Amino acid sequence: MTVTANPDLVDGVPRSRIAAASMIGTTIEFYDFYVYATAAVVVFPQLFFPKSDPTTALLASLATFGLAFVARPLGSILFGHFGDRLGRKTTLIASLLTMGIATFLIGVLPTYQQAGLIAPALLAVLRFSQGLALGGEWSGAALLATETAKPGKRAFAGMWPQLGAPLGFLLANATFVVLVGWLGDDFLVWGWRLPFLLSIVMVAVGLYVRLRLTETPVFARAIDTGQRVSAPVIEVFRGSWRQLVIGTFVMVATYTLFYTVNTWTLSYGTAARPPHGTGLGYSYLDFLRLQLVGVLFLAAMLPVAAMLSDRFGRRPALLVFTAGIMVYGTTFGLFLNADTSMGAVLVFLIIGMTLMGLAFGPMSAVLPELFPTNVRYTGSGIAYNAASILGAAVAPFIATWLATSHGVGWVGVYLSTAAAVSFVAVLVMRETRDTALDDVTTDTVTIADHVGDALHPG
């Protein structure tokens, strides 16, 4: 199986179809994931947990939100095993089905008032299932795009599945905005179920697109040359543990940024103003609209970041973008205080999402480039999703505690610290822009490389 002479075809499949399949699939899966994130702030604390203490209910809801991030590395191991053994296409179909079924079932769950503690228990199980599915989705979609990319355009090709994150967020939040405005009080009675139930329709579309693909030529060549391993996860930890550590910490800043500036700010922005609370006092609907505007800037920056990464290299681009996140963390106290106007909050969200797009854009090329073909699905997935625990699972919880106990400025300190960790990881990461995916060995990072790259970032 080889790439055809036509540069716009890969084994007879148009590159445009491959890009669409990688983007549509991740859009659907991130829609499902973000529907839960949005509901976790306003819906689930009221319907799935005891309401005697609103703050405790919110923290319990955010804890179930974070449960999916614990499941994601397990999903990357599970789906990565089959992705590296059986192929990218089959595994991506399985992850899409898992996510769609779990999301649909959340939409038919009984509430705490109807079923007692069974309700939050079932919610936690299905949230865990969402995490398993997303753990297998991202790396597969990234490989689908990058392993079929044109020479020198790998980051730009990998940008298409990255678009799934902001597009899924836009779809999820736009659905909530429409339903809250349309249904009013009935939204909390039954309307909250609709975004979850709609997932089944979107999954059907995603399955149709992905079933029309073929296997990536890079993986096919690995099979033809006998490179497949029996236990990819063991091989990753044995031969690519340095890449796992570096890849994980490279991703930490982007996760912390996104889930602080979106999930946490939604709860902070809609909490009561002092003296009755510690938030900004905006309506749920108004704040969702602000977030929708901010995410547009995330989407717009993804192709910009990808092109810069292809032009100047992964490390120089990421060093600049991550430094920007460090500086941004120092502005939380300035933008988010009792006197903050809605315009200032919008500027805050736009800056944060612009930086998110720049830092997130090259990741679907960076992480796969760190690993050899026979463990690439598993390795890139574990790195990506292990970072989700360190940078996303705990971010809303820690930010809520810091804002309540020490003030909102400390939330920014938390973000800047996470960005500093990622900055160091990028600094010691070897440049991978010109790496041929077929030729990557199991030991692409050495101490000598760390020193040399630190002295010569280009």
Side-chain angles (χ1 to χ4, degrees), residues 285-302:
L285 197 57
D286 284 342
F287 208 87
L288 278 182
R289 291 185 179 123
L290 294 180
Q291 287 190 322
L292 288 175
V293 175
V295 170
L296 291 175
F297 286 81
L298 189 166
M301 288 300 105
L302 290 175

Side-chain angles (χ1 to χ4, degrees), residues 169-187:
F169 182 90
L170 284 168
L171 282 174
N173 276 21
T175 301
F176 273 84
V177 167
V178 170
L179 290 176
V180 170
W182 174 40
L183 297 175
D185 292 339
D186 285 337
F187 175 76

Side-chain angles (χ1 to χ4, degrees), residues 54-430:
T55 300
T56 301
L58 174 60
L59 290 175
S61 180
L62 291 177
T64 63
F65 165 79
L67 185 62
F69 294 96
V70 177
R72 283 171 64 165
L74 298 178
S76 64
I77 294 172
L78 174 65
F79 288 101
H81 175 85
F82 294 106
D84 285 325
R85 292 282 301 163
L86 302 179
R88 315 325 191 191
K89 174 185 172 180
T90 302
T91 308
L92 281 171
I93 291 171
S95 70
L96 184 62
L97 280 172
T98 303
M99 176 68 88
I101 292 171
T103 304
F104 179 83
L105 290 177
I106 290 174
V108 299
L109 283 180
T111 64
Y112 180 83
Q113 185 177 3
Q114 296 167 327
L117 292 176
I118 293 177
L122 290 175
L123 183 67
V125 170
L126 292 175
R127 180 58 174 171
F128 189 86
S129 299
Q130 281 190 319
L132 284 176
L134 195 61
E137 165 63 28
W138 178 87
S139 51
L143 268 56
L144 179 65
T146 56
E147 290 185 346
T148 57
K150 292 181 180 179
K153 302 293 183 182
R154 198 182 295 150
F156 189 79
M159 175 270 303
W160 294 105
Q162 300 295 76
L163 274 174
L167 291 178
F169 182 90
L170 284 168
L171 282 174
N173 276 21
T175 301
F176 273 84
V177 167
V178 170
L179 290 176
V180 170
W182 174 40
L183 297 175
D185 292 339
D186 285 337
F187 175 76
L188 281 177
V189 178
W190 58 270
W192 67 270
R193 298 181 183 275
L194 294 179
F196 295 92
L197 299 178
L198 286 173
S199 171
I200 206 70
V201 178
M202 300 177 67
V203 168
V205 174
L207 285 175
Y208 171 76
V209 173
R210 285 189 169 173
L211 285 170
R212 300 176 68 205
L213 297 176
T214 60
E215 190 51 75
T216 71
V218 171
F219 179 78
R221 287 194 292 270
I223 298 302
D224 291 341
T225 55
Q227 295 181 33
R228 183 164 50 185
V229 295
S230 59
V233 65
I234 295 176
E235 186 64 28
V236 163
F237 280 100
R238 182 171 59 192
S240 302
W241 65 268
R242 295 182 184 88
Q243 293 93 308
L244 279 177
V245 173
I246 291 175
T248 296
F249 286 108
V250 164
M251 276 296 305
V252 163
T254 55
Y255 268 123
T256 307
L257 173 62
F258 188 86
Y259 285 94
T260 299
V261 175
N262 280 292
T263 302
W264 170 74
T265 56
L266 180 59
S267 63
Y268 180 77
T270 56
R273 287 179 178 266
H276 304 293
T278 59
L280 300 180
Y282 294 114
S283 73
Y284 178 65
L285 197 57
D286 284 342
F287 208 87
L288 278 182
R289 291 185 179 123
L290 294 180
Q291 287 190 322
L292 288 175
V293 175
V295 170
L296 291 175
F297 286 81
L298 189 166
M301 288 300 105
L302 290 175
V304 174
M307 288 186 288
L308 290 173
S309 176
D310 278 333
R311 173 68 178 85
F312 298 104
R314 317 303 189 219
R315 293 179 66 254
L318 286 176
L319 286 172
V320 173
F321 303 152
T322 307
I325 298 174
M326 293 168 62
V327 175
Y328 175 68
T330 66
T331 69
F332 275 53
L334 175 66
F335 280 107
L336 304 178
N337 56 68
D339 299 321
T340 298
S341 67
M342 187 172 289
V345 173
L346 179 59
V347 171
F348 173 81
L349 294 175
I350 287 174
I351 295 173
M353 289 299 94
T354 297
L355 289 168
M356 174 64 190
L358 292 172
F360 188 56
M363 290 300 177
S364 59
V366 171
L367 296 186
E369 288 167 351
L370 290 174
F371 299 93
T373 302
N374 55 2
V375 296
R376 185 170 294 132
Y377 202 126
T378 302
S380 61
I382 292 176
Y384 183 84
N385 292 296
S388 74
I389 295 179
L390 300 176
V394 298
F397 194 95
I398 291 176
T400 299
W401 176 75
L402 285 173
T404 303
S405 303
H406 302 285
V408 71
W410 281 95
V411 179
V413 173
Y414 166 58
L415 174 61
S416 294
T417 302
V421 171
S422 288
F423 187 89
V424 173
V426 175
L427 196 63
V428 300
M429 182 186 78
R430 184 176 181 178

